[in-house]
Amino acid sequence: LNVSVDDQSGDERTDALPNYFPTNGWTQGNGCSGCGVKPDPTEAFANTWHDTTSHVNDTEPRTISINFTGTAVYAFFILPDTVTTAGLTILVNMTFMLDGQPAGEFVHIPTNSTGFLYEQPCYVNDSLVNGPHQLFISANAQTSASLILFDYLLYTYVFLHI
C-alpha cells in the first residue's frame, strides 16, 4: 500500500505531520506573498508545498523530518528551472539522512529549459527493512544558498498479519 505524506496535511494513514526546522524558516508556498519563486499550485500535490531558502551564513539548517513505517520511500519536490528575477535563489542542493545515517544528496542546477519541474523524485529508496524509519531532508548551503520546495512523500506500507 503506497501512503502519501502531504507537506501540509501530513500522513494519510497516521495523520502525522512533517516537522519543519526552524519553524520560522519555512513557509506554505501556495499563497506566499513574500516568496520570489511561485510554482503553479494546480501542479502541486494537494495544491500545496513548503518553501525555504537556506543561506550560507544561516545559524540553523533548514530541515524536514518525516517518520514513517514501510519498505520504500519516495520524496517529491518542485524544481525551479528558470531564473525569473536576478539574484533569486533557484539552486536546489539537499542532503538526506535515513535512520540517522547519510543516505544521499541531490543537486539541481537550473537549465532555463522550463519554468518548473513538478513531482520530481529527488530521494528514492525501495530496499528498506519493513519497520519504522525517519527521513531527514536538509538544505545544503555550505557554499551557496539553496532553495527547497517540498511537495510530498510516498512510502510503501506493508501490513503484517500476526
Side-chain angles (χ1 to χ4, degrees), residues 34-122:
C35 296
V37 176
K38 298 187 183 299
D40 179 351
T42 65
E43 296 289 335
F45 184 81
N47 302 90
T48 63
W49 65 93
H50 265 71
D51 180 313
T52 193
T53 300
S54 185
H55 300 278
V56 174
N57 295 326
D58 285 349
T59 57
E60 295 181 273
R62 305 291 203 257
T63 303
I64 309 165
S65 170
I66 302 171
N67 295 308
F68 65 95
T69 298
T71 60
V73 63
Y74 313 84
F76 293 87
F77 298 81
I78 300 170
L79 303 177
D81 211 33
T82 300
V83 178
T84 56
T85 304
L88 193 62
T89 299
I90 62 169
L91 171 70
V92 176
N93 187 350
M94 298 179 284
T95 58
F96 301 91
M97 291 191 63
L98 184 68
D99 301 333
Q101 299 297 315
E105 52 187 66
F106 178 87
V107 176
H108 175 74
I109 299 170
T111 64
N112 283 327
S113 64
T114 184
F116 292 93
L117 303 170
Y118 296 93
E119 294 194 44
Q120 296 299 297
C122 298

